[in-house]
Amino acid sequence: MEAYKLWVRKNRDLVRSLESLANGLTWILPERFANSEIAPEAVYAFLGIVSSVNQHIIETPTDGQTLASKEQSIPWSLVVSVLKDIEAVVEVAAQHFVGDDRKWSFLAVTEAVKAGVRLAAFRESGYKMLLQGGEVANEEEINILDENFGAKSNGVPVIYPMNGHFQNGHGVASNGLDGKAGFVSKSLEGRAVAALNKFGQNAKMTSDPMWMKKALPPPDPPAMVVEKPTLASIWSAKGISGRLFLLGEVVHIFRPLLYVLLIKKFGIKSWTPWLVSLAVEITSLGIHSRATDLHQRGGKLKRRKMMWALYVMRDPFFTRYTKRHLQKAEKVLDPVPLIGFLTGKLVELVEGAQTRYTYTSGS
């Protein structure tokens, strides 16, 4: 396994090119969206899982300066990606064996599992906003408590190495954090502190005799420790803004499960699941807009707004409106050589993908 990881890291560009080629070919397989064809979907899911694993290998730090915040017992972003690929196979298999109406029970189970995993990832990250549904680790600075806790220097929290060379903002030597909040600064001041520590180590090495340099092994770089905010600390430190942020994320996490349960009860052709799901999305965004530091989360919320475009691909809106316009465009462009063929193929793929919940759920 270690040999495979080393090969992937050395040939990351080749790996990504092969993955893109293989995934593209699966979309033109015969009977790609046939109800009875489980094999093509299984192949696509397998390639997706392999791609997620390779990406995790590439992004996993390998040097000795790995931050403690990245040392997770479970790679939650990888788990979420794998579950999404498995869910597509579950949907096709359930549709084949139990029918369209009863497949929603199986999808509800998978969405419940995904919600539990995302909650665990949300907690493990120190209650930072989930990116792409938890598929991408949020590497932003942990500053949700910096208004009330943690040592600062001119408004910038200090880096704390484990060997105790640095001191916190109160002048107390620290081999960890102050027990209130953790912060790993990526600012200029944080880099300056690290540079001073490096300079001090170099100066010490210069003053030592040559025989000591040869006898003593080079010291390991100090490991960085980050203490993550807890639910209680956020609840008490940030007040209403922190509570709104937590509520907005929880609402966003459970939205897909609620949508599937409503489809199971009212049916895919009913407007109730569609409207309730959209209302939950708007509610989650509205709650986040009330939370503090909105300027830091603007890009992340923008992506969630862009996901609203998937609502035009979901029934009953798709059947009543979107499909009609696609068919009109196909008829207009059909006489045009090549363009008409490509348009027809595109419409075919869109209509086929629309029949799968996992392709339009945005979860």
Side-chain angles (χ1 to χ4, degrees):
M1 187 62 182
E2 292 301 325
Y4 176 75
K5 291 180 180 179
L6 182 62
W7 183 85
V8 169
R9 293 189 180 105
K10 288 184 176 181
N11 302 275
R12 59 183 64 189
D13 293 334
L14 174 62
V15 169
R16 287 168 176 166
S17 298
L18 292 176
E19 290 170 354
S20 299
L21 176 62
N23 289 330
L25 291 176
T26 58
W27 282 90
I28 59 176
L29 288 175
E31 303 296 329
R32 175 68 172 82
F33 296 104
N35 295 338
S36 60
E37 290 296 330
I38 303 176
E41 195 63 52
V43 171
Y44 184 75
F46 174 76
L47 292 174
I49 293 173
V50 172
S51 177
S52 299
V53 172
N54 290 338
Q55 187 66 24
H56 176 71
I57 292 173
I58 293 173
E59 294 178 351
T60 301
T62 58
D63 55 9
Q65 298 181 352
T66 302
L67 295 177
S69 61
K70 293 183 180 179
E71 295 177 354
Q72 301 178 356
S73 57
I74 300 177
W76 293 111
S77 59
L78 176 61
V79 175
V80 173
S81 299
V82 171
L83 284 175
K84 291 185 67 173
D85 290 318
I86 293 177
E87 185 180 35
V89 181
V90 170
E91 179 181 8
V92 176
Q95 188 172 354
H96 174 70
F97 291 108
V98 299
D100 290 337
D101 295 335
R102 298 178 60 185
K103 76 175 183 180
W104 298 106
S105 298
F106 294 89
L107 289 174
V109 174
T110 58
E111 287 294 354
V113 174
K114 286 164 59 179
V117 169
R118 283 171 174 146
L119 282 177
F122 184 44
R123 179 180 180 275
E124 183 71 20
S125 68
Y127 299 97
K128 294 185 291 185
M129 182 178 292
L130 297 180
L131 303 182
Q132 298 184 22
E135 291 187 84
V136 177
N138 192 339
E139 302 295 344
E140 71 175 0
E141 298 171 340
I142 303 176
N143 62 351
I144 194 168
L145 298 180
D146 61 5
E147 293 180 3
N148 298 277
F149 298 114
K152 293 185 179 181
S153 176
N154 295 328
V156 179
V158 178
I159 299 177
Y160 296 86
M162 291 182 66
N163 59 5
H165 288 172
F166 297 149
Q167 294 181 338
N168 62 22
H170 303 287
V172 180
S174 173
N175 60 355
L177 298 181
D178 59 1
K180 297 294 185 179
F183 191 97
V184 177
S185 176
K186 299 178 183 177
S187 63
L188 293 177
E189 184 169 346
R191 296 177 184 176
V193 173
L196 287 175
N197 183 53
K198 178 80 173 176
F199 175 79
Q201 292 179 356
N202 293 337
K204 183 178 182 300
M205 292 176 63
T206 304
S207 63
D208 290 338
M210 291 299 297
W211 65 270
M212 290 184 63
K213 295 180 181 179
K214 296 180 180 179
L216 297 176
D220 294 331
M224 311 300 290
V225 177
V226 177
E227 183 177 336
K228 299 168 186 174
T230 63
L231 181 61
S233 62
I234 295 176
W235 199 264
S236 60
K238 276 294 187 177
I240 187 64
S241 61
R243 297 169 192 176
L244 285 175
F245 170 74
L246 293 174
L247 178 61
E249 277 301 286
V250 172
V251 170
H252 178 74
I253 289 172
F254 280 97
R255 194 277 312 168
L257 176 59
L258 176 62
Y259 179 56
V260 171
L261 291 176
L262 290 175
I263 293 177
K264 183 176 179 294
K265 180 177 181 180
F266 295 100
I268 190 64
K269 299 300 182 182
S270 173
W271 281 98
T272 300
W274 193 91
L275 291 173
V276 171
S277 179
L278 180 59
V280 171
E281 294 267 23
I282 297 174
T283 301
S284 175
L285 184 66
I287 293 175
H288 275 302
S289 66
R290 294 288 182 178
T292 58
D293 301 330
L294 181 61
H295 61 284
Q296 297 181 0
R297 305 186 185 115
K300 303 165 190 177
L301 294 179
K302 182 179 180 180
R303 182 189 179 278
R304 294 187 180 181
K305 290 180 181 179
M306 293 176 62
M307 296 297 290
W308 292 359
L310 289 174
Y311 280 90
V312 303
M313 293 290 294
R314 300 172 188 167
D315 280 330
F317 190 95
F318 180 85
T319 302
R320 298 193 180 185
Y321 302 103
T322 308
K323 187 176 181 179
R324 184 191 312 165
H325 291 289
L326 288 175
Q327 291 174 344
K328 288 182 179 179
E330 183 181 10
K331 290 180 180 179
V332 171
L333 297 175
D334 184 63
V336 182
L338 185 59
I339 296 180
F341 170 78
L342 294 177
T343 303
K345 189 63 178 178
L346 177 62
V347 172
E348 178 185 347
L349 290 175
V350 170
E351 292 180 350
Q354 191 276 331
T355 60
R356 303 282 172 81
Y357 161 80
T358 49
Y359 291 165
T360 62
S361 64
S363 66

